[in-house]
């Protein structure tokens, strides 16, 4: 599992400095949409950054994204996470 390095338009996820300490290790995959990113970590935690209106802010569902997520998918302005018990979390 690895580290995330970002660059580009800061308003579209090119600047991950607000969550950088959570992206230094353990990342197994990254999913992006038009303006945000979601990283899946090896313990099933999700870390998001980018445009808050495009899924870059998952604080409303953060307590459901701390563990157990197995995959993430996104569309133009939102994300959905599948958890190991079959639950789907959207933001």
């Amino acid at each position: 599992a690895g580290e995330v390095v970002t660059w580009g338009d800061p308003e579209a996820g090119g600047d991950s400095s607000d969550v950088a300490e959570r992206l230094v290790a353990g990342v197994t995959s990254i999913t992006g949409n038009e303006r945000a990113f979601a990283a899946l970590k090896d313990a099933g935690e999700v870390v998001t950054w980018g445009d808050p209106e495009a899924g870059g802010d998952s604080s409303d569902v953060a307590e459901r994204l701390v563990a157990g997520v197995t995959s993430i998918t996104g569309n133009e302005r939102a994300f959905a996470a599948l958890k190991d018990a079959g639950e789907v979390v959207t933001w």
Side-chain angles (χ1 to χ4, degrees):
E3 175 182 7
V4 175
V5 178
T6 60
W7 65 94
D9 183 348
E11 294 179 7
D15 178 3
S16 60
S17 59
D18 288 346
V19 294
E21 71 282 350
R22 297 172 60 200
L23 299 172
V24 295
V27 176
T28 58
S29 66
I30 303 170
T31 302
N33 64 20
E34 287 185 351
R35 301 192 54 81
F37 291 95
L40 180 60
K41 298 190 70 174
D42 50 15
E45 176 189 7
V46 176
V47 180
T48 61
W49 68 96
D51 184 344
E53 295 186 14
D57 178 1
S58 58
S59 59
D60 286 347
V61 294
E63 71 282 350
R64 296 167 62 197
L65 300 174
V66 295
V69 175
T70 58
S71 65
I72 305 168
T73 191
N75 65 15
E76 291 180 4
R77 299 185 63 81
F79 291 97
L82 177 63
K83 298 193 70 173
D84 51 13
E87 176 187 10
V88 175
V89 180
T90 61
W91 69 96

